[in-house]
């Protein structure tokens, strides 16, 4: 996996789109029924995939503030396709330091995709507190929750995935990351601050005809496994070779667990 590169984000976008939970999206749409316009801020926007995924579910006139600290990704987000009647402003902001700045001004909705598993509990609490202070609903999609199943299975699958899940809890710039526990903690924290939360699974389901993204995942997991003292480089190499063999034979599939949530202040908006 190539981190947060444009190439990786482009590769995963169609799988993210197919995985988004319909019931959670319906709850987002229902929250704004009757409105003719909406203002949205998308945190850690990448190339703008959240906008492209959910714009059709929102009121027709839309103002989006796309926030990221990567100027290259923001440049791509400003030029890629988007629906008509959608106004986009890109804003470079360091969300670690300046989350509050990202939430300034009149807003109706906060969105984020594949973000919460990268942040610390302290940063998550900041997001919840700042959103609650502004009575803002939050749609957070595609949070990895640690459920991954590979077919056909191999003897080292669990060990390699344990290395990946351990790495998910390391500091990604926001402090020690919540990793696979992020979705559950987010629900807990939003409910603590008086939000009603709708949640649902948004798993990637990758089949034999999805080799490119599987190859990227396997190579990334092998790289992380090689950093572990629990597994030798020879074992990791043999595991990767076998997984690639399954790919080449058209036999490889996997399910990777994610969760979508929509948190809405009760009695507000």
């Amino acid at each position: 996996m190539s981190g947060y590169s444009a190439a990786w984000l482009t590769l995963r976008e169609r799988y993210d789109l197919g995985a988004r939970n319909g019931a959670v999206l319906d709850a987002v749409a229902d929250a704004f029924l009757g409105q003719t316009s909406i203002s949205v801020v998308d945190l850690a926007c990448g190339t703008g995939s959240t906008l492209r995924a959910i714009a059709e579910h929102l009121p027709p006139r839309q103002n989006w503030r796309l926030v990221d600290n990567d100027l290259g990704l923001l440049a791509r987000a400003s030029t890629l396709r988007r629906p008509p009647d959608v106004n986009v402003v890109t804003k470079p902001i360091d969300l670690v330091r300046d989350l509050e700045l990202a939430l300034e001004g009149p807003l109706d909705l906060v969105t984020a995709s594949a973000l919460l598993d990268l942040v610390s509990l302290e940063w998550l609490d900041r997001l919840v507190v700042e959103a609650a202070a502004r009575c803002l609903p939050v749609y957070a999609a595609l949070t990895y929750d640690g459920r991954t199943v590979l077919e056909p299975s191999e003897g080292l699958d669990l060990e390699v995935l344990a290395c990946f899940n351990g790495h998910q809890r390391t500091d990604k710039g926001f402090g020690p990351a919540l990793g696979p526990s992020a979705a559950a903690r987010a629900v807990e924290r939003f409910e603590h601050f008086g939000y009603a939360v709708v949640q649902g699974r948004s798993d990637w389901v990758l089949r034999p005809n999805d080799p490119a993204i599987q190859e990227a995942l396997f190579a990334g997991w092998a790289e992380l496994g090689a950093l572990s003292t629990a597994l030798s480089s020879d074992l990791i190499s043999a595991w990767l070779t076998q997984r690639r063999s399954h790919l080449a034979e058209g036999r490889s599939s996997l399910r990777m667990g994610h969760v979508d949530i929509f948190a809405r202040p009760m009695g507000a908006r």
Side-chain angles (χ1 to χ4, degrees), residues 20-21 24 28 42-43 50 54 109-117 123-124 127 137-144 182-183 186-187 190 197-200 202 258-263:
R20 288 177 186 269
N21 187 279
V24 177
V28 175
D42 187 35
L43 305 179
T50 301
I54 75 168
L109 175 65
V110 179
T111 65
S113 296
L115 173 64
L116 296 189
D117 48 289
W123 191 91
L124 174 65
L127 172 63
V138 178
Y139 170 59
L142 301 160
T143 301
Y144 174 64
V187 171
F190 276 113
V197 179
V198 178
Q199 62 179 306
S202 52
H258 300 90
V259 177
D260 293 353
I261 70 170
F262 178 54

Side-chain angles (χ1 to χ4, degrees), residues 50-71:
T50 301
L51 184 160
R52 292 187 291 276
I54 75 168
E56 65 182 290
H57 300 273
L58 299 176
R61 293 201 303 276
Q62 300 171 25
N63 292 293
W64 284 75
R65 180 188 306 159
L66 303 185
V67 173
D68 207 294
N69 68 347
D70 187 314
L71 295 179

Side-chain angles (χ1 to χ4, degrees), residues 116-118 142-150 157-169 178-184 201-204 221 254-260:
L116 296 189
D117 48 289
L118 305 180
L142 301 160
T143 301
Y144 174 64
D145 71 353
R147 293 177 297 108
T148 301
V149 178
L150 303 172
D157 288 347
L158 293 179
E159 290 85 350
V160 171
L161 288 169
C163 292
F164 171 60
N165 286 335
H167 181 266
Q168 287 298 102
R169 295 182 173 90
L178 287 164
S181 65
R201 289 183 175 182
S202 52
D203 297 355
W204 282 354
W221 295 342
L254 70 87
R255 176 181 289 269
M256 192 170 184
H258 300 90
V259 177
D260 293 353

